[in-house]
Amino acid sequence: MLWSRTIHISTLSILFLFVTVQLQGVYSDMIHEIKTEHYVLRLDEVTGEIKSLESKGQEFVFSSDQPRELFKLRLRNDNGEAVDLSSLQSSQIRFSRKDDGEKKETQIEIAFLQIDKKPIDVTVFVKCPLESSLTYWTMKVKNETGFWLEHIDFPVVVVPNDLPNSGGDARIFWPGGEGVVVEDSELREKSWLRWQPIEHPTMGWNGIYPGPAQMQFMAYYTPRAGLYFSAHDPKGTPKGVEFHKHPSGGIYLDFRLFPGPVCETEYTLPYPMVLGTFQGDWHDAADIYRNWWENSAMYKPPKLEENKMVPDWFFKSPVIIMYPVRGQRDLGVEMTPNPEYYPYTNALPILQKYAKELSVPVMALLMHWEGSAPWAPPYVWPPYGDLQDFVHFCDELHKTGNLIGLYASGVAYTIRSNTDPTYDMTKEFQEKRIVQYVAHAPDGKPAENGVCAGPNAQRIGYDLCPANEWVKEVVVNEIAKIVPYKIDYLQYFDQNLGGNCYRCYARTHGHPPGPGPWQTESMKDLYRRILELIHQNNSNMLIGCEANAAEPFIPYLLFNDSRSYLSLAIGVPVPAYGYVFHEYLNNFMGNQNGTSHFIDEEKSIYNMHQRVAISFVQGDMLSLNLRKDGQIAWEWSSAPWDKGPDQEQILTLVRNLNLWRTGNGHSYLFFGRMLKPFAYSGDKDVPMITPRNDIIHFRSIFTCRWAYKNRSAQFLVNYLPETQKATIHLSENYRNNIMLYNQPNSTTPPVSVKPDNDGNLTVEIPPLSAIMLEWQSL
């Protein structure tokens, strides 16, 4: 049995423990325990599992009577068949330890020998700098089975399930969907976004990094202490970054590492897995991660203020206006042109009205515009219908200072469209043998599990593997057709979530047969080619993807369709992506597709107000989706065509918040470095209700805090249609020289304010707007 201590793990293995200890200072006398001022770490002396990690009286590891793995491995044979192994199947385990007083660190080495009685050994190395709150874990695999190594789950960390829904006070931070705080471990399992293992055939919205999980860290924290868990991998190698129940109890913070796959007999993990403690909440964990990322070797763009690739229009903070040229939803065959938006020039009066009412340029970001079929990659050009009218439409937008953007659908191949039956590429697919370029499953056959592909999706087809030269040429050539038409923004990589490359097990594409670093490198090479094309044509068109760009792709994808609202299926969205990366790029609010799957929009009457405010505090540009007659919709596609929020309130909220981006808050909201905000009180709970009558709690005031050069500012956002008061609680160093801005424009000067002796400052926030508190010196 996998869980037996007696069959695979001999109790005599303790006799093999050997110690290389050089005592220089005060160290634990137990080989498997490390004590510092920051934490106490204890490994099980028989299994090697993480038995306990404690800090400030807080235990981070769920206690179980059943043994747990320290790591798991998946091997595959030449037929693609999987063999799963774990540390619990080791025939023998050996510990060694070295305490180095000069380096002020402890090193533990654990050898797991003859796993499942096979010729495979794993050695785990744990480095613990004694003056740091972080520990560093790596491993070496010696594999003489003849099978290749597909993935590694390491190290296995299981935290207690003491979230608020279970009566506890802990929370989990997960980096999917730009960042979410989990308070109810069961909420996610009630929607289609429920947890699935990161393996074939699972696709789409889950913890794939680099992809819809844009960062490589998680956290578990309580008011007493927090646990930081991360991969510090500067090459952005693919991983699964997930949380879910563990079979032995507790919540598994699950890192699945995809190293290649590795066909060689020896493999050493080239980056550390980092496990440590901190004080605070997700902001403090993000501080650790941001500090690593900024000092890592990962390629980064210049900061936004210095980036010459960013066009001037970007800094005018246009509001993005999205609508379908034809049809009303993603699915279905009703693709009649909408008279409000086709011919294309019919939409000009509507767009000009919004530009006037919002007092900023707008970008018309078109859906269902493709001349192929809606969401039918890779071919999109020419646009649907009258090309001359489309060109005139773009010209008129630009003449009035407005902008044009287009959605497309990424690196995939459409054989037949399910939304427009007249689009059929079966002949080309067969004649050019395009099946050779599609993503393949482990059994060597074309993978049937493509994103947005299938009989109940937008198309019949496959994801393409961008390791193939033909695929890169097709994508670049399609974009080359668009560049001359002076499009301002092309979201070509919609459905390549986070800019990612989907897994492929083909043996004929020039990459190893499975997930690995080649995925990240293939997409980066494709993006480099696209940017070269754009620059060679003297264009300043920006390229983007669905969901914010994952960190390896940020230098290439500088404007993206944020999907933070999808976190509503899991918990409370938090601006973690902006916290780490905002100085390098701003994204936009996105088309909000699918919100109604997670939120009952009719019962949650302020849900769109809240989503707008969430986007603002993330540092995103704002957006609106239009429905019939140019009215504002709850979202794109899922909501009924004839329903929407309070039109005037949403328009007022978007206008007021965006004016801060173009007015007094401009430097912070474009170029600022996000800081942990000061606490505040006095607001109320405005929950969102799910279609299953679960409650997601939201404060009635949102906040964000930024630093820019020698100044800092905190915004308080009131998304409700009535005035609110709040008391902000300032630390001692921030109680002087405070200026309060009640309006975003320069015509209303700020006023000097001062808190009471305890640092409490009460402010009034006008309805559907925000205020800004500014400190001139950090």
Side-chain angles (χ1 to χ4, degrees):
M1 295 289 292
L2 182 62
W3 301 112
S4 171
R5 289 180 182 268
T6 58
I7 294 179
H8 292 303
I9 304 175
S10 169
T11 56
L12 295 177
S13 64
I14 302 174
L15 299 177
F16 291 94
L17 302 178
F18 61 96
V19 186
T20 57
V21 180
Q22 304 171 0
L23 290 176
Q24 299 184 36
V26 181
Y27 302 99
S28 169
D29 59 359
M30 300 172 66
I31 191 172
H32 53 276
E33 184 176 276
I34 297 172
K35 295 181 179 179
T36 77
E37 63 177 308
H38 302 287
Y39 60 82
V40 178
L41 171 66
R42 186 163 65 87
L43 307 177
D44 189 278
E45 62 270 28
V46 175
T47 65
E49 70 184 87
I50 301 174
K51 201 68 177 176
S52 173
L53 180 57
E54 182 268 334
S55 177
K56 309 296 182 183
Q58 175 65 53
E59 175 59 64
F60 296 116
V61 177
F62 175 75
S63 178
S64 173
D65 293 334
Q66 295 178 307
R68 246 188 331 250
E69 318 90 336
L70 180 60
F71 61 82
K72 294 180 283 185
L73 308 175
R74 171 163 291 175
L75 309 181
R76 286 194 188 271
N77 62 21
D78 287 339
N79 295 322
E81 298 166 333
V83 177
D84 291 329
L85 305 172
S86 89
S87 59
L88 291 175
Q89 297 171 286
S90 303
S91 301
Q92 192 177 111
I93 300 177
R94 296 178 177 176
F95 278 73
S96 68
R97 170 175 174 150
K98 180 179 180 180
D99 292 306
D100 192 322
E102 184 175 343
K103 292 184 177 179
K104 296 183 179 180
E105 71 178 28
T106 291
Q107 299 177 19
I108 291 180
E109 184 175 310
I110 317 171
F112 299 84
L113 307 178
Q114 294 289 300
I115 298 174
D116 196 29
K117 299 181 180 179
K118 292 180 171 60
I120 183 166
D121 302 333
V122 174
T123 305
V124 170
F125 307 92
V126 187
K127 185 173 73 172
C128 304
L130 300 180
E131 295 182 351
S132 170
S133 65
L134 305 180
T135 64
Y136 301 85
W137 302 64
T138 56
M139 65 155 55
K140 180 171 66 176
V141 181
K142 185 177 181 181
N143 173 21
E144 296 181 341
T145 64
F147 294 3
W148 43 271
L149 175 64
E150 179 181 354
H151 67 235
I152 303 166
D153 298 349
F154 173 72
V156 172
V157 175
V158 182
V159 298
N161 187 2
D162 54 358
L163 305 185
N165 74 303
S166 301
D169 59 2
R171 286 163 175 80
I172 290 172
F173 168 79
W174 183 58
E178 285 86 65
V180 59
V181 168
V182 182
E183 299 181 343
D184 179 350
S185 60
E186 299 299 323
L187 181 66
R188 180 185 191 181
E189 302 307 310
K190 299 176 183 179
S191 75
W192 59 264
L193 262 175
R194 65 182 63 89
W195 171 75
Q196 299 178 68
I198 306 300
E199 60 188 29
H200 182 82
T202 301
M203 298 288 278
W205 292 106
N206 49 33
I208 292 176
Y209 167 90
Q214 292 97 346
M215 297 171 283
Q216 308 174 73
F217 81 102
M218 291 186 280
Y220 165 94
Y221 57 90
T222 73
R224 295 165 293 286
L227 177 71
Y228 172 83
F229 189 22
S230 179
H232 285 186
D233 170 18
K235 291 189 176 181
T237 308
K239 301 170 183 68
V241 187
E242 272 292 359
F243 71 95
H244 54 90
K245 291 181 179 178
H246 192 275
S248 65
I251 300 175
Y252 185 6
L253 304 185
D254 185 356
F255 267 96
R256 173 161 288 179
L257 317 177
F258 293 96
V262 177
C263 302
E264 295 80 12
T265 57
E266 288 195 6
Y267 170 76
T268 299
L269 188 66
Y271 53 85
M273 298 300 298
V274 181
L275 190 62
T277 63
F278 66 92
Q279 297 293 121
D281 60 15
W282 70 265
H283 298 88
D284 302 278
D287 273 327
I288 300 172
Y289 188 77
R290 180 169 63 186
N291 181 66
W292 167 77
W293 182 77
E294 290 188 324
N295 291 285
S296 76
M298 187 174 288
Y299 177 56
K300 309 168 190 66
K303 290 187 177 181
L304 192 56
E305 194 170 18
E306 304 159 355
N307 195 337
K308 304 301 183 184
M309 291 173 55
V310 181
D312 292 341
W313 62 257
F314 186 92
F315 302 108
K316 297 177 182 178
S317 194
V319 172
I320 314 303
I321 306 287
M322 293 162 284
Y323 59 85
V325 172
R326 52 180 176 147
Q328 301 174 8
R329 300 173 183 274
D330 275 346
L331 303 180
V333 297
E334 202 293 299
M335 285 295 156
T336 304
N338 294 308
E340 297 90 349
Y341 311 123
Y342 186 84
Y344 296 95
T345 49
N346 284 6
L348 287 171
I350 297 172
L351 295 167
Q352 290 162 357
K353 174 180 77 78
Y354 277 109
K356 181 179 179 180
E357 292 179 341
L358 294 167
S359 302
V360 290
V362 298
M363 174 186 286
L365 182 50
L366 306 187
M367 293 179 282
H368 292 191
W369 65 277
E370 307 97 311
S372 50
W375 314 118
Y379 306 120
V380 293
W381 195 263
Y384 170 78
D386 189 338
L387 175 60
Q388 186 175 357
D389 182 69
F390 176 85
V391 172
H392 183 53
F393 171 69
C394 296
D395 288 342
E396 289 301 309
L397 282 173
H398 287 144
K399 284 179 183 178
T400 54
N402 296 304
L403 305 152
I404 176 67
L406 302 173
Y407 273 100
S409 304
V411 187
Y413 192 90
T414 302
I415 301 174
R416 297 190 310 277
S417 170
N418 292 334
T419 61
D420 183 349
T422 65
Y423 185 74
D424 190 329
M425 297 297 291
T426 302
K427 182 178 179 182
E428 180 187 83
F429 188 79
Q430 293 174 346
E431 288 181 350
K432 293 185 177 180
R433 295 189 65 250
I434 292 169
V435 70
Q436 65 186 305
Y437 305 123
V438 307
H440 281 60
D443 62 4
K445 298 178 182 178
E448 300 286 348
N449 58 312
V451 172
C452 294
N456 298 312
Q458 287 93 332
R459 58 182 176 259
I460 301 297
Y462 298 95
D463 289 314
L464 291 169
C465 176
N468 293 285
E469 190 65 22
W470 182 86
V471 175
K472 293 177 182 177
E473 288 178 357
V474 165
V475 171
V476 174
N477 288 341
E478 200 65 16
I479 294 175
K481 300 172 188 175
I482 299 172
V483 170
Y485 288 86
K486 298 180 182 179
I487 304 301
D488 299 290
Y489 170 62
L490 176 62
Q491 190 165 309
Y492 188 89
F493 295 96
D494 199 84
Q495 296 162 26
N496 285 96
L497 310 177
N500 74 335
C501 166
Y502 294 110
R503 69 181 76 88
C504 178
Y505 293 83
R507 296 173 180 270
T508 58
H509 292 175
H511 63 71
W518 66 266
Q519 294 174 272
T520 304
E521 294 307 312
S522 292
M523 292 306 288
K524 288 167 64 176
D525 180 56
L526 176 57
Y527 296 142
R528 281 192 290 265
R529 297 186 190 197
I530 293 168
L531 293 187
E532 287 175 4
L533 164 73
I534 291 171
H535 297 155
Q536 288 169 1
N537 285 272
N538 297 314
S539 170
N540 61 1
M541 181 173 71
L542 292 181
I543 301 291
C545 65
E546 180 176 2
N548 288 352
E551 56 191 8
F553 310 133
I554 287 174
Y556 317 100
L557 306 174
L558 291 171
F559 194 48
N560 305 283
D561 186 330
S562 175
R563 296 299 167 117
S564 62
Y565 67 92
L566 291 176
S567 296
L568 295 168
I570 299 164
V572 179
V574 295
Y577 187 95
Y579 197 94
V580 177
F581 304 122
H582 182 263
E583 292 173 279
Y584 298 86
L585 78 169
N586 295 182
N587 297 293
F588 68 97
M589 183 176 162
N591 70 16
Q592 309 292 293
N593 188 23
T595 302
S596 61
H597 289 289
F598 316 123
I599 299 300
D600 187 318
E601 292 165 327
E602 298 299 316
K603 291 182 180 178
S604 309
I605 61 172
Y606 294 117
N607 80 86
M608 188 169 177
H609 298 62
Q610 292 165 313
R611 287 183 278 133
V612 168
I614 287 169
S615 295
F616 177 80
V617 300
Q618 288 176 164
D620 289 342
M621 296 189 201
L622 303 178
S623 65
L624 297 171
N625 289 277
L626 302 187
R627 55 184 176 89
K628 188 177 181 180
D629 298 327
Q631 296 292 296
I632 300 168
W634 287 121
E635 55 169 298
W636 157 241
S637 181
S638 296
W641 184 248
D642 59 350
K643 293 185 179 180
D646 184 294
Q647 300 290 299
E648 188 56 39
Q649 286 184 18
I650 287 298
L651 194 61
T652 300
L653 179 64
V654 170
R655 177 177 61 247
N656 288 343
L657 294 185
N658 200 58
L659 287 173
W660 284 102
R661 294 184 57 85
T662 60
N664 290 325
H666 178 82
S667 296
Y668 300 110
L669 295 170
F670 271 100
F671 311 125
R673 180 182 185 85
M674 195 179 287
L675 304 174
K676 185 176 182 178
F678 296 117
Y680 60 100
S681 58
D683 56 333
K684 60 184 178 181
D685 184 35
V686 183
M688 287 192 195
I689 312 299
T690 77
R692 293 154 292 278
N693 289 319
D694 293 301
I695 293 176
I696 305 174
H697 295 284
F698 281 91
R699 303 185 70 167
S700 61
I701 295 172
F702 292 167
T703 193
C704 55
R705 181 169 165 245
W706 308 88
Y708 176 74
K709 296 185 177 178
N710 66 338
R711 297 176 287 143
S712 65
Q714 182 157 336
F715 294 84
L716 294 169
V717 180
N718 174 15
Y719 57 79
L720 296 181
E722 67 262 7
T723 300
Q724 293 194 76
K725 287 186 178 181
T727 299
I728 187 168
H729 311 291
L730 302 172
S731 63
E732 191 169 350
N733 293 335
Y734 286 83
R735 296 179 183 177
N736 297 307
N737 304 316
I738 309 171
M739 302 303 292
L740 168 62
Y741 292 78
N742 286 300
Q743 296 294 330
N745 53 54
S746 57
T747 59
T748 304
V751 295
S752 177
V753 292
K754 189 172 180 62
D756 64 21
N757 292 335
D758 295 322
N760 299 317
L761 176 64
T762 299
V763 293
E764 187 174 275
I765 312 166
L768 304 172
S769 191
I771 62 168
M772 182 178 84
L773 296 167
E774 184 178 52
W775 293 261
Q776 288 297 321
S777 179
L778 291 178

